[in-house]
Amino acid sequence: MKTFQLSAEPRTDLGKKAAKALRKENKIPVVLNGGEVVDLPYKGKLRDGEKIVVIEKDQSKGLITTDLVVTNDSVRKLIYTPDIFAIELSLHGEKRMAVLKDIQFHPVKDTILHIDLLEVNDKKPVVIEVPVQLEGHAEGVKAGGKLTLSMKKIKVKATYDKIPERVVVNVDNLGLGKTIQIGDLHFEGLELTNAKNAVVCAVQLTRAARGAAAAAAAAGK
């Protein structure tokens, strides 16, 4: 993946009123998830913006998350693009790696209300949606069919440094009326987490292709 550099400031004034005030200043509230797992009660010192979220399955453990604030302009090229990025986050005078987890948009204005980031490293796998790129000239298209892409993105699981910018699917051998499903795809170092029978792409029979097939069948009688 490409790397996107992003500077953030810790956010200590929380709540709906504070978040609304930030948005009026053209800023966006952000939460950085996936931080260090610690024993409870926590005896260490939290930095500005950090808080501990209790892990439900194990009440003796907590997860350090960080509340942040960024400007709209600083994330514009991160959000409004089909590309995916590993985010090099500048925070507390240090660099931390993250990926985009979720974005909340205003239902009417379509402005960004909130961003969730997930902290990553080269040891722990994460699941990310990666754009699909089709390559080749399908046999079914040569026979008059129409190639359709059903899944623009597929979910892959790997460490962030092994996740590609795109997954390339070759369609050369895809015939008329045939599909390529998730279960048909294999990429070294990547685990695909969508349903195995989910259709990625297909060559659909067009009216012209059906007519040609019927004519060929009739001629062969």
Side-chain angles (χ1 to χ4, degrees), residues 144-204:
K146 180 181 179 182
L147 179 64
T148 60
L149 177 62
S150 303
M151 299 179 68
K152 293 182 178 180
K153 292 184 177 180
I154 61 177
K155 294 179 180 179
V156 305
K157 183 178 181 180
T159 55
Y160 84 92
D161 55 328
K162 297 294 191 296
I163 294 177
E165 295 178 23
R166 288 172 178 78
V167 288
V168 179
V169 177
N170 187 282
V171 298
D172 282 337
N173 297 321
L174 190 59
L176 268 175
K178 301 299 182 180
T179 66
I180 293 179
Q181 301 180 353
I182 289 292
D184 301 321
L185 302 177
H186 303 281
F187 301 98
E188 185 177 354
L190 300 180
E191 177 185 346
L192 308 185
T193 64
N194 298 90
K196 298 293 184 184
N197 61 351
V199 174
V200 178
C201 61
V203 174
Q204 296 178 340

Side-chain angles (χ1 to χ4, degrees), residues 5 13 16 56 63 79 105 130-131 196-197 203 205 208-209 217:
Q5 296 182 341
D13 192 5
K16 292 183 178 180
E56 292 183 3
L63 187 68
I79 306 300
F105 291 94
V130 178
K196 298 293 184 184
N197 61 351
V203 174
L205 285 165

Side-chain angles (χ1 to χ4, degrees), residues 45-59:
K45 184 179 180 181
L46 296 175
R47 295 178 290 185
D48 288 348
E50 292 183 340
K51 63 185 178 186
I52 295 179
V53 178
V54 178
I55 299 175
E56 292 183 3
K57 294 181 180 178
D58 186 351
Q59 297 292 312

Side-chain angles (χ1 to χ4, degrees), residues 27 42 56 68 72 101 106 135 153 166 170 175 187 217:
K27 296 179 180 179
Y42 182 59
E56 292 183 3
L68 312 171
N72 265 289
K101 184 180 179 183
H106 190 283
E135 72 168 14
K153 292 184 177 180
R166 288 172 178 78
N170 187 282
F187 301 98

Side-chain angles (χ1 to χ4, degrees), residues 23 37 74 87 92 106 115 126 165 167 189 192 206:
R23 295 181 189 113
V37 176
S74 68
I87 302 167
H92 294 128
H106 190 283
I115 295 174
V126 292
E165 295 178 23
V167 288
L192 308 185
T206 61

